Amino acid sequence: MSPVDDEILTPADKGLPARAIGLTAAAFLSTRPRLSEFWTPLIALDDAAMTANVDTMARWCAERGLEIMPHGKTTMAPALWKRQTDAGAAGITLATMGQVRTGRSLGLDSIMLANAAIDPRSLAWLAGELNDPGFRFVCWADSVATVEAMEQGLQTAGAPRPVDVCVELGAAGGRTGARSLDEGVAVARRIADSAELRLAGVAGYEGSLAHDRMPAGIAAVRSYLEAQLELHTAITPLYDDGEVFVTAGGSAYFDVVAEVWAGAAREGRTRFTLRSGAYIVHDDGFYRGISPFDEGGSGAQDTPRFVNAMHGFARVVSSPEPGLALVDGGKRDLPYDEGLPIPRAWAPDAAGPWHPLAAELTAMNDQHSYVRPEQALPIGAVVRLGLSHPCTAFDKWRVLPVIESADSDVVVDLVRTYF
């Protein structure tokens, strides 16, 4: 990864203390700042919790012989990608060719694009990157038309070597992906016949087929994953001698993926690869309710656990009527697409001491949220919020402070995002 801690902090990096402006991140961190110096609204990350989450996932994958290429679009933060690759991740998954270009500029040399690449402009850029023999890139295709669009762009650009492409299998009612085994086999044959492309396996995303852990949803996910293995078996004669991927696994059903894959033949060249990304920070909402590893979940005593490592902070700026407090964090600052933030505690200021808070956050505007506490909150009080969905938390912030732990307000790092 390219170092980013020498970038100058600016007033555009919202939430930073005034004294940080004009310093590099490294210089500011050397002064051992405290979270209480930062302006609200704010999102802060928990170093101890993130370390535990990354170690938990790495250990769990290793025990099952699985690889992981975490989905980097969750955070678009090279400092967090590095935590994952240092723990053994085989690379980083990204969602668009724009993100791939950003990742390459930040030092990534192993990237999976969980998407098709068909824009001739981005394919021309990719052709240039393929001159680097150390760059490993694999993408997906779900139709013959997609394959032909890739071929045309790469031919025009004069790509120096074939692009690795996995056949994407979908399911009725799902997202992208070939809708049947026969369609998938036809796409695989077309890739295998191409001079510009190389057949590199089978890919897909099970997370669009269910949104809870009810039996019907789990059954739909399991059926899809079994079909994915069936496609892999059907196209095995078309593979060359190079590495092959079987890849699935968001952050909700990776345990089911591992269970289905457990019975598959593990050839040395086949890389059974998860792409879960949100686990590094987990959350206090959507993933808390659906992840098999949530800290408050059921299951055996030795079940691995993820810990929420993402907290919001907003200050009471108005109390216009009994039972209502308006805080200064809204949709521009905090995620809301997978559930509203959850008031967890309050303090006179971000330095604490923190007190449990019985309250509900009922609505959000662009820059305000409506908190309805059981007891009045004083003007200026800070509310700590549990957040839901990391993917739409990180994209609102250019720089996020990292505190030592949930019990400390010492800031040990600044994470810069690149959305």
Side-chain angles (χ1 to χ4, degrees):
M1 301 288 181
S2 300
V4 295
D5 59 359
D6 59 351
E7 294 190 30
I8 299 296
L9 301 171
T10 77
D13 299 322
K14 62 183 182 180
L16 293 178
R19 70 180 184 87
I21 307 305
L23 299 178
T24 65
F28 175 57
L29 291 169
S30 71
T31 67
R32 202 167 169 78
R34 298 278 181 154
L35 193 67
S36 54
E37 299 181 61
F38 285 68
W39 295 15
T40 56
L42 189 65
I43 291 180
L45 307 177
D46 180 326
D47 181 69
M50 288 194 295
T51 297
N53 291 344
V54 170
D55 290 348
T56 293
M57 192 61 155
R59 185 169 54 253
W60 185 84
C61 287
E63 290 170 354
R64 285 154 184 79
L66 303 178
E67 293 194 359
I68 186 167
M69 295 182 73
H71 214 320
K73 59 91 177 173
T74 300
T75 64
M76 287 302 292
L80 302 187
W81 297 344
K82 187 174 187 302
R83 288 178 181 239
Q84 294 166 310
T85 55
D86 284 353
I92 295 295
T93 298
L94 295 167
T96 69
M97 285 298 288
Q99 291 176 2
V100 171
R101 183 171 64 178
T102 298
R104 281 293 281 166
S105 74
L106 295 167
L108 289 181
D109 57 13
S110 179
I111 297 175
M112 177 177 291
L113 173 68
N115 208 334
I118 60 170
D119 175 15
R121 298 155 193 81
S122 59
L123 288 171
W125 172 85
L126 176 62
E129 294 300 299
L130 293 174
N131 285 299
D132 177 359
F135 177 37
R136 177 213 229 176
F137 175 83
V138 58
C139 64
W140 303 357
D142 68 356
S143 70
V144 171
T146 301
V147 173
E148 291 173 347
M150 288 194 69
E151 279 184 324
Q152 183 175 352
L154 293 167
Q155 285 172 356
T156 301
R161 56 185 168 99
V163 172
D164 284 358
V165 181
C166 291
V167 180
E168 182 188 1
L169 182 67
R175 202 167 61 185
T176 51
R179 288 312 201 237
S180 71
L181 180 65
D182 288 345
E183 288 181 21
V185 170
V187 175
R189 287 189 178 127
R190 186 62 180 80
I191 296 170
D193 288 341
S194 174
E196 284 72 35
L197 309 176
R198 173 186 168 270
L199 182 61
V202 175
Y205 176 57
E206 75 290 344
S208 63
L209 302 177
H211 301 284
D212 55 43
R213 297 191 73 87
M214 298 296 288
I218 297 297
V221 168
R222 188 178 299 276
S223 177
Y224 166 75
L225 294 165
E226 290 168 350
Q228 188 186 56
L229 289 180
E230 186 179 358
L231 177 58
H232 172 55
T233 299
I235 67 176
T236 292
L238 300 174
Y239 294 142
D240 62 17
D241 295 333
E243 68 180 9
V244 171
F245 291 90
V246 175
T247 177
S251 295
Y253 305 110
F254 58 85
D255 59 325
V256 183
V257 177
E259 289 172 9
V260 174
W261 284 354
R266 299 301 177 90
E267 316 153 57
R269 64 176 177 164
T270 302
R271 299 176 178 272
F272 287 81
T273 305
L274 296 174
R275 302 188 312 277
S276 313
Y279 70 90
I280 188 170
V281 293
H282 196 46
D283 74 4
D284 204 13
F286 176 74
Y287 287 112
R288 182 175 179 82
I290 202 168
S291 170
F293 289 1
D294 180 65
E295 58 189 305
S298 59
Q301 189 172 4
D302 59 351
T303 298
R305 296 298 179 196
F306 294 147
V307 183
N308 176 37
M310 179 177 68
H311 306 282
F313 299 86
R315 192 177 300 274
V316 177
V317 294
S318 176
S319 185
E321 60 188 63
L324 175 63
L326 279 298
V327 297
D328 63 357
K331 292 180 179 179
R332 301 290 187 185
D333 311 297
L334 307 170
Y336 57 91
D337 60 311
E338 291 285 1
L340 298 179
I342 305 167
R344 293 298 189 192
W346 77 276
D349 202 354
W354 291 97
H355 309 285
L357 176 60
E360 183 181 6
L361 192 152
T362 57
M364 300 177 76
N365 298 148
D366 284 350
Q367 308 293 174
H368 295 88
S369 290
Y370 296 68
V371 176
R372 299 189 180 276
E374 292 185 3
Q375 294 183 330
L377 291 171
I379 297 295
V382 175
V383 176
R384 188 170 67 203
L385 300 160
L387 306 177
S388 179
H389 201 198
C391 296
T392 51
F394 281 84
D395 65 2
K396 303 178 190 309
W397 293 84
R398 290 175 41 160
V399 176
L400 297 98
V402 181
I403 52 177
E404 281 183 324
S405 71
D407 299 321
S408 169
D409 79 332
V410 175
V411 175
V412 296
D413 201 2
L414 294 177
V415 167
R416 186 174 289 277
T417 65
Y418 291 82
F419 286 94

